[in-house]
Amino acid sequence: MRRYLSAAAVRLPAKLAGIAAVWCVTLLYVLFQGGKTSFMLFTMVSVLMVYLLAGGFTGVRRARGARTLLTDGEKSDLLYAGGHLHVKLEIALPGLLPIPFVVVREMLKRHNGESWIFEESFVPNFKGQGELRFQTPPLERGRYSFSETGISSEDIFGLVEHKGSFLAQGQFRVLPRIVHIPRWVLYERNSRISGPQVSLAQSRRETTQINGVRDYVYGDRLSRIHWNATAKTGAWKSKEFEHESLPKTMLILDGTASAYASSAQFELAVSAAASLLGFGVRERIGIGLCCLDKNTKVFAPAESAAERQKMVQYLIDINGEGRGPLVPRLEKGYRMFPKGAYFVLISPQTDGNVLQTLQWAESRGMTPCHIHVLNPAGSHRGNKWPSELHSRGIMGHSVSSLRELPAALGGDGR
């Protein structure tokens, strides 16, 4: 008998086991002593036991929740690196028993294994409902999801703690940081490196082929007015003509793990690639992407925003786990590289491996260019790599932060 009682005591919480022992004592008191006093004590302890047991099968153990993700007050599942996410969690606790307070424990996981824990408390209303709001810290590029939410509470006497959990769906993506690039000397008409056959994207001549309809801009000629679209919409519309084509561009993102001195340096390389993709869509330049990560992934050059979005989505998950020289990895996807394209290598390397890669591109009829990504936390004195590339007839730029990229590409810095 003692063995069974000891096993039962081990399974029960310490405080609940103590109350169960008191209940057994009052039961024996009623059986052997009798009387109103013993019966009153037994009744009070029995009601307390029923309340504590009922709280274990209702309330937090059957909790349900719904999550809403907000960015700047608007519902969204997409934000850029460095931004905050506002989380609203609505919780319902079924049951009629009063609950003094509830402690909620949240865990946010990143695709690379990093995690953050948030712990807050709230007091539910008479219907057992409550709302919890909190803000995440600044988040970096990646995919995030909330794991199972843990919830706990105590009875009104503070004798027993009840625990439960529920899963409220909450996944979102954080895009790489981007910067606006107004111009790129690679596409200038008189660029010594790019050649006389290239014109500035903004000054490309229009063809006679209609590409669509756009809003009227003050100064448009009368012949450009699209009368049918204007009549249907009630607003002035102009014809959109196709522009003369420019050479395609391939962005090569070096994902070699050993090449980067810090995670911030790799994030700079990813952000530079994302910013150049935005430049290509804005200026209607066909830009493709080749990621030399653990596996080689190639996206063919495209001008549409939908294709650019696919490339940016791929950049969300890239981790920089590549191994080995660049050229053998480029050979795997070379068939998707268009002839005569610009070959833009985004890499922190400056050794013979990079020169070999740029010469490989030149030997296949492409115009090479190197964007040298420096370590933001390192010293950059005596960096002569862009000058060395220019002496070889290759365009090169060095950037140590994302805000330097527009000036470097625009010819105001190296």
Side-chain angles (χ1 to χ4, degrees):
M1 183 68 178
R2 183 181 301 174
R3 182 179 60 185
Y4 295 114
L5 291 175
S6 300
V10 170
R11 295 189 186 96
L12 292 175
K15 293 182 179 180
L16 187 59
I19 297 173
V22 172
W23 182 83
C24 293
V25 171
T26 56
L27 176 61
L28 295 175
Y29 187 35
V30 170
L31 295 176
F32 293 99
Q33 179 67 29
K36 295 182 179 180
T37 302
S38 60
F39 183 75
M40 182 182 64
L41 289 174
F42 176 73
T43 303
M44 294 173 59
V45 177
S46 298
V47 171
L48 179 60
M49 282 292 295
V50 171
Y51 166 72
L52 295 177
L53 292 175
F57 294 101
T58 60
V60 297
R61 293 187 182 273
R62 297 172 55 194
R64 302 186 303 271
R67 191 189 315 278
T68 304
L69 306 178
L70 304 170
T71 55
D72 297 330
E74 299 180 358
K75 188 175 181 180
S76 175
D77 65 340
L78 198 66
L79 72 157
Y80 287 93
H84 300 271
L85 189 71
H86 300 273
V87 182
K88 182 176 72 173
L89 186 63
E90 297 174 307
I91 301 175
L93 306 170
L96 301 176
L97 299 178
I99 300 177
F101 69 94
V102 175
V103 178
V104 180
R105 184 184 178 90
E106 290 268 59
M107 178 176 289
L108 177 63
K109 294 183 177 180
R110 193 182 176 193
H111 71 275
N112 63 352
E114 295 181 5
S115 61
W116 295 262
I117 296 177
F118 308 91
E119 189 169 310
E120 295 287 344
S121 62
F122 71 95
V123 178
N125 57 23
F126 291 106
K127 296 182 180 180
Q129 298 176 347
E131 182 179 286
L132 193 65
R133 291 175 179 264
F134 61 92
Q135 178 179 290
T136 66
L139 300 173
E140 294 300 325
R141 171 191 60 89
R143 291 184 183 270
Y144 294 81
S145 62
F146 283 94
S147 59
E148 199 172 49
T149 301
I151 184 171
S152 63
S153 70
E154 294 182 350
D155 59 89
I156 56 178
F157 302 106
L159 297 174
V160 179
E161 182 183 24
H162 303 290
K163 295 182 179 181
S165 63
F166 60 88
L167 182 61
Q169 296 294 334
Q171 295 87 24
F172 60 95
R173 297 156 292 174
V174 179
L175 296 174
R177 288 181 175 86
I178 60 172
V179 67
H180 175 74
I181 300 175
R183 58 189 287 263
W184 193 356
V185 294
L186 187 67
Y187 290 95
E188 287 191 354
R189 183 191 306 273
N190 297 321
S191 174
R192 179 173 59 87
I193 301 299
S194 58
Q197 76 280 5
V198 181
S199 62
L200 188 64
Q202 292 89 335
S203 62
R204 284 184 290 170
R205 292 182 300 176
E206 293 179 336
T207 65
T208 58
Q209 182 68 33
I210 297 179
N211 190 36
V213 179
R214 62 170 173 80
D215 292 333
Y216 173 81
V217 177
Y218 179 78
D220 284 347
R221 297 187 303 272
L222 190 63
S223 58
R224 291 190 66 114
I225 303 300
H226 197 294
W227 297 107
N228 291 338
T230 301
K232 290 180 180 179
T233 60
W236 289 100
K237 299 291 182 180
S238 298
K239 300 174 185 177
E240 183 81 39
F241 294 96
E242 291 186 355
H243 289 73
E244 292 179 343
S245 61
L246 283 175
K248 304 294 184 181
T249 301
M250 287 298 301
L251 302 178
I252 315 300
L253 178 59
D254 183 4
T256 305
S258 59
Y260 293 91
S262 64
S263 60
Q265 188 178 16
F266 180 69
E267 293 299 327
L268 175 58
V270 175
S271 296
S275 300
L276 291 175
L277 289 174
F279 172 82
V281 171
R282 189 172 60 255
E283 304 299 339
R284 285 168 291 187
I285 301 171
I287 292 188
L289 177 66
C290 175
C291 295
L292 303 179
D293 198 27
K294 189 175 182 180
N295 299 310
T296 300
K297 178 67 175 179
V298 181
F299 295 89
E303 299 182 14
S304 66
E307 293 299 322
R308 180 251 183 184
Q309 193 65 20
K310 293 180 181 179
M311 302 178 198
V312 174
Q313 292 297 324
Y314 187 81
L315 291 177
I316 291 177
D317 296 325
I318 190 170
N319 290 322
E321 299 175 343
R323 297 287 187 275
L326 300 178
V327 173
R329 292 147 67 188
L330 283 169
E331 292 282 2
K332 298 179 181 179
Y334 168 67
R335 288 177 295 180
M336 297 183 66
F337 287 32
K339 294 182 179 180
Y342 288 135
F343 181 93
V344 181
L345 176 63
I346 305 173
S347 172
Q349 303 187 58
T350 58
D351 53 11
N353 188 18
V354 171
L355 288 177
Q356 183 183 1
T357 303
L358 298 176
Q359 291 170 358
W360 173 88
E362 201 168 19
S363 66
R364 282 157 176 76
M366 293 182 284
T367 304
C369 174
H370 183 207
I371 298 179
H372 180 212
V373 180
L374 301 170
N375 184 10
S379 177
H380 312 130
R381 294 183 179 179
N383 180 32
K384 300 180 180 180
W385 180 248
S387 301
E388 182 178 345
L389 290 179
H390 278 264
S391 66
R392 296 171 180 267
I394 300 174
M395 182 174 290
H397 312 282
S398 291
V399 292
S400 60
S401 65
L402 191 59
R403 64 176 179 270
E404 295 178 3
L405 186 62
L409 297 182
D412 300 328
R414 292 186 180 179

